[in-house]
Amino acid sequence: MKSKAIAAPYVVWMAIFTVVPLALVLVFAFTDRSGNFTLENIANVSRYSGVFLSSIWLGALATIICLLLGYPMAYIISRKAGGRQSVMVMLMMLPMWMNFLLRTYAWMTLLENNGLINNFLGLFGIGPLELINTQGAVVLGMVYNFFPYMVLPIYSVLTKLDGRVMEAAQDLGANRIQVFGRVILPLSMPGIISGITMVFVPAVSTFIISKMLGGGANLLIGDLIDMQFLGSAYNPNLGSAISLVLMVLILICMGIMNQFDDGEEEGGIIV
């Protein structure tokens, strides 16, 4: 009874800020402006299939880049001594202490035609290159802003690995590549799954990065939803339908990733 009383504020918080907003999204998605039930909003989402595909592609690309760069970084940090680990983790989290918009504005300053990067390249007679308002700039912004979300979950798993397991694999004749592929990688899979989820979900639904670094030419799902609620094409019913479809897609992706996670945990280590 006492534990239920302690959980009551959390339940109230969830009801007000999670359950009620989701219920409103459902109501708006299946009603028209007069409040009548309709499936037209859901049907109209198909008109923006290109935007969905583009968002998923860019989000997946940013996630893959974060994984390829983040796993080695997490492994290097996890192999350092305790004091150095703390310093490197702090340096990894340091940019996150700055406001998200300010970090993105900084990249606008770096990538614009008269920015620092083009001015530097100009010293060698190169450019100016078209760096901003491109898909590459959007992916760069995603990778920069969400990179710590990939590194930290993987690091938290790698740092808990028992070194004796790797020593045992080496005693059984495994070389370094085999130790990594058959011991370290399977044991670190929960961190990889968490990192992929934590990067892909915000990347596929972002709108600030695409708006500021893509210049409005690279429309993503987040921009589309923003336009329906705050833009000139005000249509909260359609915006809710798009949000609902996006939530379903994200839940499907998370479900698929969790299946891989469960399989790794049940499969154990192959030596």
Side-chain angles (χ1 to χ4, degrees):
M1 196 67 185
K2 186 176 180 180
S3 59
K4 292 182 178 179
I6 294 175
Y10 174 75
V11 173
V12 173
W13 177 276
M14 287 288 293
I16 295 176
F17 295 102
T18 302
V19 177
V20 172
L22 287 176
L24 289 174
V25 169
L26 283 171
V27 170
F28 274 87
F30 291 101
T31 56
D32 57 21
R33 297 192 178 187
S34 302
N36 300 317
F37 177 81
T38 180
L39 294 175
E40 184 179 355
N41 298 318
I42 301 297
N44 287 336
V45 174
S46 60
R47 295 186 300 174
Y48 305 101
S49 57
V51 178
F52 275 82
L53 292 175
S54 177
S55 300
I56 293 172
W57 160 244
L58 294 181
L61 181 60
T63 303
I64 293 171
I65 295 173
C66 284
L67 178 59
L68 294 177
L69 298 177
Y71 195 98
M73 176 66 70
Y75 182 80
I76 292 171
I77 296 175
S78 68
R79 298 298 98 188
K80 296 295 182 181
R84 291 185 177 181
Q85 275 192 32
S86 301
V87 172
M88 294 183 74
V89 170
M90 185 191 69
L91 292 175
M92 181 64 58
M93 296 180 64
L94 195 60
M96 298 174 66
W97 298 354
M98 187 183 301
N99 183 272
F100 185 90
L101 287 175
L102 290 179
R103 298 200 305 267
T104 310
Y105 269 122
W107 274 109
M108 289 180 64
T109 304
L110 291 171
L111 296 175
E112 62 186 8
N113 292 337
N114 294 321
L116 295 178
I117 294 177
N118 271 317
N119 286 336
F120 176 76
L121 294 175
L123 297 176
F124 304 95
I126 303 174
L129 303 178
E130 188 178 353
L131 302 176
I132 201 167
N133 300 335
T134 62
Q135 288 189 345
V138 175
V139 173
L140 176 62
M142 291 178 180
V143 172
Y144 174 76
N145 282 294
F146 305 133
F147 185 68
Y149 299 134
M150 179 66 74
V151 175
L152 295 178
I154 298 175
Y155 158 77
S156 67
V157 173
L158 289 175
T159 194
K160 297 175 183 177
L161 292 185
D162 192 342
R164 292 174 296 182
V165 177
M166 290 174 274
E167 292 176 3
Q170 291 174 336
D171 291 340
L172 291 172
N175 56 37
R176 291 185 177 182
I177 296 176
Q178 290 173 325
V179 170
F180 174 78
R182 297 188 176 186
V183 179
I184 298 176
L185 187 61
L187 288 175
S188 61
M189 193 57 66
I192 294 175
I193 299 301
S194 297
I196 290 175
T197 303
M198 294 177 66
V199 172
F200 179 74
V201 170
V204 78
S205 58
T206 185
F207 67 96
I208 290 296
I209 295 175
S210 55
K211 182 179 293 186
M212 297 174 66
L213 298 181
N218 299 280
L219 192 67
L220 301 184
I221 301 175
D223 301 298
L224 193 59
I225 296 172
D226 178 61
M227 289 169 55
Q228 305 304 319
F229 285 98
L230 300 175
S232 55
Y234 180 75
N235 190 345
N237 301 93
L238 178 58
S240 297
I242 298 172
S243 302
L244 182 61
V245 172
L246 176 61
M247 283 191 288
V248 171
L249 289 176
I250 290 175
L251 287 174
I252 291 173
C253 292
M254 292 177 65
I256 294 172
M257 297 307 296
N258 286 334
Q259 289 299 317
F260 282 104
D261 191 10
D262 293 339
E264 291 296 336
E265 289 179 355
E266 293 173 4
I269 307 170
I270 303 174
V271 179

